[in-house]
Amino acid sequence: MADELRTLVERLKAVAHPLRLRVLSLLEPGELCVCQIAETLQVPQSSVSEALRELRRAGFVVERKDGRWVFMSLIPQDQASLFLRGLLGEAAALPEVQRDRLRAEAVKAMAISVVCAKTPQEVPAEHGVTRV
Amino acid sequence: MADELRTLVERLKAVAHPLRLRVLSLLEPGELCVCQIAETLQVPQSSVSEALRELRRAGFVVERKDGRWVFMSLIPQDQASLFLRGLLGEAAALPEVQRDRLRAEAVKAMAISVVCAKTPQEVPAEHGVTRV
DNA sequence: ATGACATTTCGATATTTTCCGATATATACT
DNA sequence: AGTATATATCGGAAAATATCGAAATGTCAT
C-alpha cells in the first residue's frame, strides 16, 4: 500500500549499477547459474550473489535451484515492466554487453564442472577484462 | 569513447531518485519553470535546481530561458530512449505522480508572479502530500 | 561424518550521494 | 546606481551504497 513511487525508485536503483545491469543483460538469452556469471564477468562470486539478490528483490529475475547450483533467469517477457523491456533493448546494443554475451556463450559451451571448480589464477584473462 | 554502459548507468541513476522522478513526470504534460515546480512539490528551490541539473546532464530535459525564468521541458518523444518512454508511462500511473499533476494544474492556473514571489511563511507548509 | 564445492551473508572500509541553508550570479525594474 | 526576484552553486555533515575477503550455510558424494 502506498509509496509506489518509492518502489519504482528502488527498482530503478537496482538497475542503475554497472555490474547489476551487465548481469541482467547476460540473462536475457537464457538462464545461467551464479558460477557461470562470475566466470563470464570475471568478478568475485560474492559480488554476483549480491547483485542477484538486488535484482531478485526488484522483481527482475527469478531463481531455480538445482542441487548446489542456483540458476537465475529473467522474469517472463509478458510480466516485465515497460521500462525494463525498453532498458533491455537499449542495453543489448552496448558493446560491453555484447562482449559479455560472447564470453557467456563460451562459458556455456563448457561443462559446468570445468567452469566452476577453478581457482582464479587459472582463468586466462581475455578481452581486456582485468582481475587483480 | 567507450563505456557506453557507464553512460546508460548514469542515466538510470538520474531517474532513480524520488524527487527527480517526480520532477520528470511533472514535465510530461508541458514545460514548467523552476519556481512552479518548487511550489508544486513543496521542496526547496535549490533541490529542484539540482534535480533539474541532473536530469539535463542525463539528457532527459531541456531548458528555455525567458528573462529570469528557466522553463524546463522533456525532450521530444521521438528523441526519448526506449526505457524513458516506458518509465514515463509507468510513472504516470502512480498516485503520487497524479497528485503532483493536480497540484501543478492549480499552480499553472495562477499568475507566475503570485506563485513565485512568496516568502516561505506564506506557504501552507506540510511536506509532501497535500490536497490541492 | 568428512570433504568438496556453490552460494549467501557478514564485516569493515572506501566511496558516493543526499539534503538544504547560505551564498553567488543573473535578470528586471525603477 | 539600488532593490527585488529567479536560479545556480557551494559547503559539508549525515546517510546510503559499493566492494570484496572471510566466514557461514547448504548440498552432494564418498
Side-chain angles (χ1 to χ4, degrees):
Chain A
M1 55 174 75
D3 250 350
E4 319 183 25
L5 181 110
R6 189 150 316 228
T7 303
L8 178 54
V9 166
E10 290 311 313
R11 288 160 54 81
L12 287 165
K13 277 189 193 174
V15 103
H17 181 284
L19 178 58
R20 293 196 292 262
L21 186 52
R22 285 172 80 195
V23 169
L24 197 68
S25 296
L26 207 52
L27 292 176
E28 204 179 5
E31 68 174 14
L32 289 171
C33 82
V34 178
C35 68
Q36 290 176 315
I37 299 172
E39 167 67 16
T40 298
L41 301 184
Q42 298 284 289
V43 296
Q45 103 317 59
S46 72
S47 299
V48 173
S49 180
E50 279 163 350
L52 286 169
R53 171 173 34 151
E54 291 307 304
L55 293 174
R56 204 184 317 129
R57 267 178 15 109
F60 294 138
V61 304
V62 291
E63 72 176 27
R64 175 179 74 80
K65 290 191 174 170
D66 180 5
R68 41 192 157 174
W69 292 286
V70 174
F71 286 88
M72 306 292 306
S73 55
L74 289 189
I75 59 168
Q77 265 278 333
D78 58 311
Q79 288 177 35
S81 55
L82 276 176
F83 92 81
L84 176 60
R85 276 183 278 195
L87 176 60
L88 286 172
E90 208 158 329
L94 302 182
E96 289 95 332
V97 167
Q98 293 175 350
R99 260 184 277 126
D100 287 346
R101 287 202 186 161
L102 286 181
R103 269 193 80 93
E105 282 312 308
V107 166
K108 275 194 281 192
M110 301 191 285
I112 265 199
S113 61
V114 174
V115 172
C116 296
K118 255 186 189 170
T119 64
Q121 292 80 5
E122 304 178 55
V123 177
E126 269 179 53
H127 295 123
V129 185
T130 24
R131 164 124 170 67
V132 160
Chain B
M1 63 149 279
D3 251 349
E4 319 184 25
L5 181 111
R6 187 153 314 237
T7 303
L8 179 54
V9 166
E10 290 312 312
R11 287 159 54 83
L12 287 165
K13 278 189 191 172
V15 292
H17 181 284
L19 178 58
R20 293 196 291 263
L21 186 52
R22 286 172 79 196
V23 169
L24 197 67
S25 297
L26 206 52
L27 293 176
E28 205 179 4
E31 68 174 15
L32 288 171
C33 81
V34 178
C35 68
Q36 290 176 316
I37 299 172
E39 169 65 17
T40 298
L41 302 184
Q42 298 284 290
V43 297
Q45 164 269 324
S46 69
S47 298
V48 173
S49 182
E50 279 164 350
L52 286 169
R53 177 179 34 172
E54 290 307 304
L55 293 174
R56 206 185 315 130
R57 268 180 14 108
F60 294 138
V61 304
V62 291
E63 72 176 28
R64 176 180 72 82
K65 290 190 174 171
D66 181 4
R68 40 192 159 174
W69 292 287
V70 174
F71 287 88
M72 307 293 307
S73 56
L74 289 189
I75 58 168
Q77 266 277 335
D78 57 312
Q79 289 177 35
S81 55
L82 276 176
F83 92 81
L84 176 60
R85 277 183 279 196
L87 176 60
L88 287 171
E90 208 158 330
L94 303 181
E96 291 95 332
V97 167
Q98 293 176 350
R99 262 184 276 127
D100 287 347
R101 287 201 186 162
L102 286 181
R103 268 194 82 92
E105 283 310 309
V107 167
K108 275 194 279 191
M110 302 191 282
I112 264 199
S113 61
V114 175
V115 173
C116 295
K118 258 186 186 168
T119 64
Q121 291 81 5
E122 303 178 55
V123 177
E126 192 50 43
H127 244 51
V129 267
T130 351
R131 65 246 132 241
V132 240

